[in-house]
Amino acid sequence: MDMTILWIFFEISGTIAFAISGALVGIARRMDIFGILVLALSTAIGGGIIRDVLVGNIPPNSFRTSLYIILTAITTLIIFIIYRKQILNYTAKRAIRKYYLFADTLGLASFTVTGTTIGFDTYPQYPLFAVILGLITAVGGGVIRDVLAQRIPSVLQEEIYALPAIIGGAVYLLIADFGYWYLAAPISFFTVFIVRLVGIYYRLNLPKVR
């Protein structure tokens, strides 16, 4: 598969996944449709905007095409209608956190790949920059979302959150350095996804002061 197509696939996947997680946070906070859309947009394109600014890609990719904003708006509307029209039963609605965590994990994995890819392609001589760019792309939108929702950002308190992105970025670089760029993206994605899910399932946390 062409690298550009693969990158677009992960960019779209991450946008939709983070739009869902942002919308669910807005619903949990009992916001109106505009507030829900703002959180969804912040989560879906916030990290990508920061990434593009850091590499000098101005205007950011999210503003060069209407695709990502339209995808986010459609996704938000669908989530809003599902909850507004009582399409889900009571038990399913109480599982909103599970839906949020799954969508957030998908977004985290997808955007780790897109951020690390851009960092590696733009400045291959700076591997640390590529990993950090992947991390910022993955968590940046979520930080903006949580600040707007008046929550402590997930990256600062939830089960291992930033660590999977860092590991995924490092895995990407390791594989890409050997020339297997077509394997770097999918393996990095699944690495982040699995590490994050394991952390959620076993409620693993980084050390804290007690």
Side-chain angles (χ1 to χ4, degrees):
M1 183 183 293
D2 183 80
M3 191 60 190
T4 301
I5 296 176
L6 194 60
W7 186 88
I8 293 174
F9 170 78
F10 282 116
E11 188 82 340
I12 291 175
S13 300
T15 298
I16 294 174
F18 268 159
I20 293 173
S21 75
L24 290 176
V25 171
I27 290 172
R29 287 293 187 178
R30 306 189 69 81
M31 295 181 177
D32 60 20
I33 181 62
F34 180 75
I36 294 171
L37 178 59
V38 168
L39 287 194
L41 282 169
S42 300
T43 315
I45 68 176
I49 291 174
I50 298 172
R51 172 199 67 205
D52 290 345
V53 170
L54 288 175
V55 297
N57 186 18
I58 306 295
N61 189 54
S62 299
F63 298 141
R64 293 188 179 189
T65 171
S66 57
L67 174 63
Y68 302 105
I69 292 177
I70 290 175
L71 278 176
T72 301
I74 292 174
T75 302
T76 301
L77 182 60
I78 292 173
I79 296 296
F80 180 79
I81 291 174
I82 288 175
Y83 280 83
R84 177 76 172 177
K85 298 299 183 181
Q86 308 293 317
I87 294 175
L88 294 178
N89 59 37
Y90 178 73
T91 302
K93 283 191 173 184
R94 295 198 64 180
I96 186 173
R97 177 163 173 77
K98 292 182 180 179
Y99 301 148
Y100 157 76
L101 288 174
F102 184 76
D104 206 50
T105 300
L106 282 176
L108 186 77
S110 296
F111 279 171
T112 296
V113 171
T114 61
T116 306
T117 299
I118 288 182
F120 180 77
D121 290 345
T122 307
Y123 297 105
Q125 69 272 35
Y126 303 126
L128 181 60
F129 176 73
V131 174
I132 293 177
L133 199 63
L135 173 64
I136 291 174
T137 308
V139 307
V143 171
I144 298 172
R145 172 201 65 206
D146 292 340
V147 169
L148 291 175
Q150 297 184 323
R151 308 193 319 173
I152 297 176
S154 299
V155 68
L156 301 180
Q157 65 171 348
E158 285 191 4
E159 297 86 355
I160 51 173
Y161 194 88
L163 186 60
I166 295 172
I167 294 174
V171 167
Y172 182 101
L173 290 181
L174 182 63
I175 297 174
D177 278 340
F178 281 99
Y180 300 106
W181 56 266
Y182 51 91
L183 293 176
I187 292 177
S188 174
F189 172 86
F190 284 112
T191 298
V192 178
F193 188 76
I194 292 172
V195 172
R196 171 69 174 141
L197 284 186
V198 168
I200 293 172
Y201 184 81
Y202 290 103
R203 297 186 177 182
L204 302 177
N205 291 284
L206 295 177
K208 300 179 181 180
V209 175
R210 297 186 179 277

